[in-house]
């Protein structure tokens, strides 16, 4: 990838970004759960096996956090990202167990310039995260704001002069 950051113009509908791989360890599952979701199936192997999850399982919030890191490493940190207004969909389809390796992709569904913020576009993405067996473990959809390559102020457009 060149030194130039991805801008709104680079997020055309249909474009895919690879996510991962991300190995999931026992230690990180327990560390995350200890701080943020201290339920037994996230803290103890025996409790996890006895649950419907079938083993020491990452919290859904941990799965979401790992997905966010994969997204950041794939394209967010290499872009003119301005943040996100929220998440439209977050589904945890299968447990993420200690020893799993996560991967997946983000795909651009829509892209449009924002009317309320000159020089910013909003991109709707769908994300699918799979385990090493190709099983879908997490699905998410959200919009992200990205700066445009040529910001209106750079070409002499201001909110006062635009109609």
């Amino acid at each position: 990838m060149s030194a130039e950051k991805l801008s709104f113009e680079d997020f055309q509908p249909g474009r895919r970004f690879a996510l991962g791989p991300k190995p999931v360890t026992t230690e990180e599952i327990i560390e995350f759960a200890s701080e943020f979701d201290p339920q037994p199936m996230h803290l103890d192997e025996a409790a996890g096996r006895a649950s419907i999850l079938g083993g020491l399982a990452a919290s859904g919030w941990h799965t979401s956090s790992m997905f966010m890191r994969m997204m950041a490493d794939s394209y967010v940190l290499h872009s003119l990202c301005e943040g996100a207004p929220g998440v439209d969909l977050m589904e945890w389809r299968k447990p993420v167990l200690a020893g799993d390796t996560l991967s997946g992709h983000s795909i651009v569904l829509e892209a449009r310039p924002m009317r309320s913020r000159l020089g910013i576009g909003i991109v709707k993405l769908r994300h699918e995260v799979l385990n090493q067996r190709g099983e879908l473990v997490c699905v998410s959809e959200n919009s992200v704001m990205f700066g445009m390559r040529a910001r209106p102020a750079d070409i002499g457009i201001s909110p006062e002069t635009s109609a």
Side-chain angles (χ1 to χ4, degrees), residues 8-49:
F8 168 75
E9 294 85 350
D10 296 310
F11 291 87
Q12 296 300 313
R15 182 163 185 187
R16 293 170 70 99
F17 295 89
L19 302 175
K22 166 66 177 100
V24 182
T25 68
T26 297
E27 295 77 22
E28 73 180 305
I29 289 173
I30 293 170
E31 182 179 343
F32 185 96
S34 294
E35 186 166 355
F36 300 110
D37 192 354
Q39 296 182 71
M41 68 286 243
H42 305 316
L43 294 169
D44 179 73
E45 179 68 42
R49 276 194 311 274

